[in-house]
Amino acid sequence: MLYILKKKIQNCVIIGSGPAGYSAAVYAARADLNPILILGNQPGGQLTTTTNVDNYLGFPLGISGNCLMENCKKQAERFNTIIINKIVSNVFLSNKQGGVHRIFLEKKEEYIDSKGLIIATGSSPKFLGINKEKKFLGLGVSFCATCDGFFHKDKEVAIIGGGDTALEEANYLSKICKKIYLIIRKDHLKGSKILQHHIFQKSNVNILFCSNVTEIIGDNFLKGIKVFNHKYKTSNIFSVSGLFIAIGHVPNTEIFSNQLHLNEKGYIVVKRGSTITNKPGVFAAGDVQDSHYRQAITSAGTGCMAALDLERYLSLFK
Ligand SMILES: Cc1cc2nc3c(=O)[nH]c(=O)nc-3n(C[C@H](O)[C@H](O)[C@H](O)COP(=O)(O)OP(=O)(O)OC[C@H]3O[C@@H](n4cnc5c(N)ncnc54)[C@H](O)[C@@H]3O)c2cc1C
């Protein structure tokens, strides 16, 4: 049995150890809520899969994703956050104001009861499923133009995807890069008409329809890609310094799906301008409730909001 069960009902359990989870922990701990944070299957979250983070405020020379998240952990520990290296397998969320939520860990008999719950389980980017894409993450392969576009200033890059995210990435990169290959599996774009209109007007965006990336070229970092056109059955090699995969993200919300309001993409719905969900005492922060910005700093920001929202909520029951 877990030692934390000795104290029957907790004030604050945080699920997830990305920027949102740790930020919530620091704020909750400093508000004397004695938070318990559950690391999950990816301790440190998505940033541990990248090399350098250059856009997180406060690090003028940038910082490695792993270092940043290790610092976040230390900061949360400094204020006595209890950190548990487990995965949440299920939750039972109360409908009552001031009610108690039950958070189940890997073994069924291990659970934590808490009046407050902050969900910061993030999202997972979809991979293409081809060789070297994971190996070259941060070495040319990226899921985020805002994060990594700058490294490809005046160079040629490729983007994969035809939806809104891919078109937004193409629009952003078209202002930084010399040339962009927008690679689309179908024979048409899926994104909104207004974004399509923008992209068609860009002279440095080349759209390759009916095409798939079949190979990533390079030994230690990305040097190019092989693209197969399934209409004409031809393959071509493109020398690019960056490959931006924009075929979507999956929010990690499966265990909450029958209890929380989710939007059509599966993200947790929060009350506008807050982290409040449809269950009293349950708050959501970071990418798990944000399909739009998806940045470390916005996640940390909403993590802070969640702790403040929870503190206010608990104060009603003192
Ligand atoms: C390759 C890559 C590079 C990036 N580069 C940048 C960058 O340079 N700058 C930037 O601002 N953003 C960058 N991002 C985006 C940034 O990483 C995310 O916006 C941010 O990490 C989201 O933080 P989060 O705390 O919401 O969730 P995440 O970082 O996704 O963390 C989610 C956490 O939830 C945990 N979890 C999930 N399910 C469970 C469960 N059932 N039980 C317990 N725990 C669970 C996971 O273990 C993980 O710790 C990058 C993303 C990727 C993939």
Side-chain angles (χ1 to χ4, degrees):
M1 187 175 281
L2 285 174
Y3 64 95
I4 46 169
L5 299 181
K6 282 182 197 157
K7 188 177 169 191
K8 268 193 172 156
I9 297 175
Q10 308 295 325
N11 280 323
C12 172
V13 169
I14 298 164
I15 312 179
S17 55
Y22 280 131
S23 166
V26 169
Y27 276 80
R30 286 167 56 81
D32 280 342
L33 300 185
N34 306 114
I36 293 169
L37 181 144
I38 300 155
L39 291 175
N41 59 341
Q42 192 174 49
Q46 292 173 63
L47 281 187
T48 59
T49 64
T50 190
T51 48
N52 258 11
V53 180
D54 272 333
N55 54 8
Y56 199 87
L57 212 61
F59 298 94
L61 302 177
I63 181 164
S64 88
N66 276 305
C67 248
L68 176 59
M69 295 320 298
E70 204 40 52
N71 284 349
C72 293
K73 184 171 184 232
K74 284 184 192 152
Q75 194 171 353
E77 282 173 333
R78 193 177 132 219
F79 298 108
N80 300 324
T81 301
I82 296 173
I83 294 180
I84 297 179
N85 191 3
K86 294 208 179 253
I87 295 170
V88 173
S89 57
N90 202 357
V91 290
F92 175 77
L93 305 179
S94 167
N95 288 315
K96 276 204 310 213
Q97 287 287 336
V100 174
H101 310 291
R102 182 157 285 186
I103 297 109
F104 293 91
L105 304 177
E106 286 141 56
K107 288 186 198 146
K108 245 191 172 167
E109 66 274 17
E110 286 184 343
Y111 58 82
I112 310 170
D113 284 335
S114 180
K115 281 191 216 158
L117 175 64
I118 295 176
I119 300 171
T121 49
S123 66
S124 309
K126 285 189 198 160
F127 283 86
L128 297 169
I130 58 172
N131 229 351
K132 293 189 189 166
E133 67 178 327
K134 287 190 178 159
K135 182 178 163 198
F136 285 176
L137 255 187
L139 297 168
V141 175
S142 172
F143 287 104
C144 174
T146 324
C147 312
D148 298 330
F150 185 77
F151 300 122
H152 304 280
K153 195 167 167 17
D154 300 325
K155 295 182 182 163
E156 299 193 3
V157 299
I159 301 169
I160 306 182
D164 277 350
T165 307
L167 298 185
E168 273 171 12
E169 303 273 76
N171 190 32
Y172 180 84
L173 290 170
S174 68
K175 295 170 199 153
I176 301 172
C177 302
K178 192 164 100 189
K179 194 170 191 176
I180 287 133
Y181 299 101
L182 183 58
I183 299 165
I184 295 155
R185 197 161 35 100
K186 298 194 171 150
D187 61 359
H188 60 275
L189 294 171
K190 262 194 335 211
S192 63
K193 289 285 172 237
I194 177 89
L195 283 172
Q196 291 192 28
H197 183 67
H198 263 94
I199 290 303
F200 288 135
Q201 284 183 332
K202 301 272 180 188
S203 58
N204 62 344
V205 177
N206 278 21
I207 306 183
L208 310 177
F209 287 110
C210 305
S211 298
N212 283 349
V213 173
T214 53
E215 200 181 319
I216 288 175
I217 299 163
D219 292 327
N220 301 315
F221 56 88
L222 179 113
K223 284 192 174 160
I225 49 173
K226 194 174 191 179
V227 177
F228 177 67
N229 182 304
H230 50 85
K231 188 169 174 195
Y232 300 110
K233 311 273 182 255
T234 51
S235 280
N236 283 298
I237 287 178
F238 295 86
S239 297
V240 288
S241 63
L243 175 65
F244 291 84
I245 303 173
I247 55 173
H249 280 70
V250 185
N252 301 319
T253 52
E254 214 180 299
I255 53 174
F256 314 108
S257 62
N258 52 1
Q259 298 181 69
L260 287 181
H261 286 165
L262 306 181
N263 70 14
E264 67 291 347
K265 292 182 190 163
Y267 289 80
I268 297 175
V269 176
V270 290
K271 193 172 154 200
R272 200 178 165 80
S274 81
T275 60
I276 298 170
T277 71
N278 62 306
K279 296 278 174 174
V282 179
F283 304 88
D287 282 12
V288 76
Q289 51 86 53
D290 168 24
S291 62
H292 186 67
Y293 296 104
R294 287 202 301 254
Q295 295 296 296
I297 200 152
T298 49
S299 295
T302 51
C304 152
M305 287 165 64
L308 297 180
D309 285 343
L310 172 59
E311 190 190 353
R312 262 175 230 137
Y313 169 82
L314 291 173
S315 70
L316 301 175
F317 307 101
K318 270 189 178 157

